[in-house]
Amino acid sequence: MKNLRRHSLPPEALDTADRAILNTLQEGFPLTPRPFDDAGATLGLTGAQLITRLQRLREIGAITRFGPFFDAEAMGGAFCLCALSVPEPDFDRIAALVNAHAEVAHNYARDHALNMWFVLATPTPEGIARTAQRIEAETGLTVWQFPKLREFFIGFRVTA
């Protein structure tokens, strides 16, 4: 997995088309025989141009992934935000152990005593505790669990 440490992009890293892509594709993606062509057409791009731009946005770190979001809770599963306090010299080794679990949906470094944050997504609510216990056993570190109490949607927009 790539380095988990995030960095800010300079303003010139994104052009008008990149900003339109980031803003528009959050609203949905067509479920059609040629979805990239259809999504690109609304942005004034060909499907191939859209794919190339999405690849570039991933490469520069403007996005970490492009794909569907499955609501584990709606399907009977569970999500949980978790954190670890990882000794800095051991960060990459611990990240590799955590990321080896299929249940880990996201993993990010933070400047905080709890410096590694990740999301667990499991097919059953009981899977959260089981996975957290496995990670604790493998790393020797306490997995702090922060279950969702309320859900908020924050619309992310990139200004022109």
Side-chain angles (χ1 to χ4, degrees):
M1 175 171 251
K2 283 185 170 181
N3 188 337
L4 303 174
R5 299 169 199 283
R6 306 286 299 191
H7 64 281
S8 296
L9 294 175
E12 66 275 6
L14 303 176
D15 65 16
T16 303
D18 293 330
R19 294 170 193 281
I21 290 167
L22 292 172
N23 291 336
T24 302
L25 294 187
Q26 291 181 71
E27 302 302 321
F29 196 72
L31 296 176
T32 62
R34 301 196 55 85
F36 288 94
D37 289 339
D38 296 338
T42 66
L43 295 160
L45 301 168
T46 66
Q49 289 171 321
L50 177 58
I51 291 168
T52 298
R53 283 181 172 271
L54 287 169
Q55 289 170 331
R56 181 183 160 277
L57 290 170
R58 284 199 61 208
E59 288 168 6
I60 67 171
I63 59 175
T64 56
R65 65 181 296 275
F66 179 78
F69 173 80
F70 297 102
D71 187 345
E73 288 179 340
M75 297 184 289
F79 281 115
C80 187
L81 177 63
C82 299
L84 294 171
S85 181
V86 180
E88 191 60 36
D90 219 14
F91 194 91
D92 291 336
R93 183 183 72 80
I94 297 295
L97 291 172
V98 171
N99 291 339
H101 291 269
E103 299 87 352
V104 174
H106 311 286
N107 190 343
Y108 298 100
R110 295 288 184 247
D111 292 326
H112 185 271
L114 296 172
N115 57 348
M116 182 181 294
W117 289 79
F118 55 96
V119 174
L120 293 179
T122 60
T124 65
E126 301 78 25
I128 298 293
R130 282 194 304 268
T131 304
Q133 289 168 353
R134 285 196 318 266
I135 292 171
E136 286 182 342
E138 292 168 5
T139 65
L141 301 171
T142 299
V143 174
W144 295 90
Q145 297 177 46
F146 301 94
K148 176 178 71 177
L149 301 178
R150 288 177 56 196
E151 186 167 338
F152 299 90
F153 176 77
I154 300 172
F156 172 77
R157 294 291 172 256
V158 182
T159 57

